[in-house]
Amino acid sequence: MNATSATSAIATLSPVWRDVLADSYRALTTVVAGVRDDQWQLPTPCSEWNVTQVLQHAAGDQLGFAASLGIGNGPSDNPFAPSGHLDGAPQALVEDAVEQVAAAWATVADDTATVPTPLPHGALATPVAAVMCALDAAVHAWDIAIATGQPSPLTDELAGHLLTAARTAHPAPGSGEEAEIVEPLRQWGAYAAVVEGKSDGSAVAELLSYLGRDPRM
C-alpha cells in the first residue's frame, strides 16, 4: 500500500468531512440501539473486549475529540481500559458522546486549516482530523454490529473516505518520520496488524483488513 499525501487527502476530504461525520455517528447510534439486553457481554472483533467495552471505548474516544475541540471534559475513564460495567443506559451513553462531539465539530469553520486532536499526532488538517474521528465511530459500530448479528453499517463510499484519512502521510509522533496516520497508532496497540489475503477488493474489506479486522466475519 502507498500512503496518501496530505495534500491529496485534504483535497479529497474537504468537501465531505461533515457528511462523513454525520454518517458515522448515525451508524454508531443505530447499531447501539439495535443491541438486545442479552447481547452486551458477547465477544467482538476487538478480541479483548465485549460489546459493552467496545461501546465504552467508542463513546470515550468521541468525548476525547470533543474535549480537544473545547467541548466537555473528555471521558471520565480511560477508553483503552473499559470496565465493562455501565451505570446508565447504553443508548444514553453513546447519544451523549455523539451530541458533545457533534457540537464540537459544529464550532469548526470550513476554512479552519488545522484542529487539535486527542491522537498522539496532535493537531491535524481539519478534514483529516474529522474523518479520523469519524473512523473511530464507524469502525466500532461495525464491531458491535458483527458481534450482535446486525447488518454492517459500512458502505464502500464511507469506507473509502475513512481509508483516505487513515492512510494520510504525516510525521509520526516521536520520530518525525513520514508514516500513515494509523501506523503509530497500530504500534501503540490501537489497531491490530493488517489482515492479509481476506479482502474481496471492496473499499469496506480493504478498510477492515487495514485496521486489523477480518472482513469476512
Side-chain angles (χ1 to χ4, degrees), residues 5-131:
S5 74
T7 301
S8 177
I10 292 167
T12 298
L13 299 176
S14 288
V16 301
W17 66 263
R18 292 190 192 275
D19 290 336
V20 172
L21 280 168
D23 289 345
S24 298
Y25 295 151
R26 188 179 306 110
L28 182 59
T29 55
T30 299
V31 166
V32 170
V35 179
R36 299 194 312 266
D37 289 344
D38 63 346
Q39 294 182 312
W40 289 106
Q41 303 304 313
L42 292 177
T44 72
C46 297
S47 59
E48 296 182 0
W49 292 343
N50 62 26
V51 174
T52 298
Q53 290 170 305
V54 171
L55 168 65
Q56 290 175 306
H57 170 78
D61 279 355
Q62 296 307 310
L63 292 173
F65 270 96
S68 293
L69 295 169
I71 299 293
N73 298 316
S76 58
D77 299 310
N78 180 358
F80 288 90
S83 67
H85 302 286
L86 297 176
D87 293 329
Q91 188 71 7
L93 176 65
V94 73
E95 287 178 353
D96 176 65
V98 167
E99 181 178 339
Q100 288 192 44
V101 74
W105 284 112
T107 69
V108 178
D110 289 343
D111 60 355
T112 303
T114 64
V115 293
T117 76
L119 302 177
H121 304 78
L124 293 171
T126 297
V128 175
V131 177

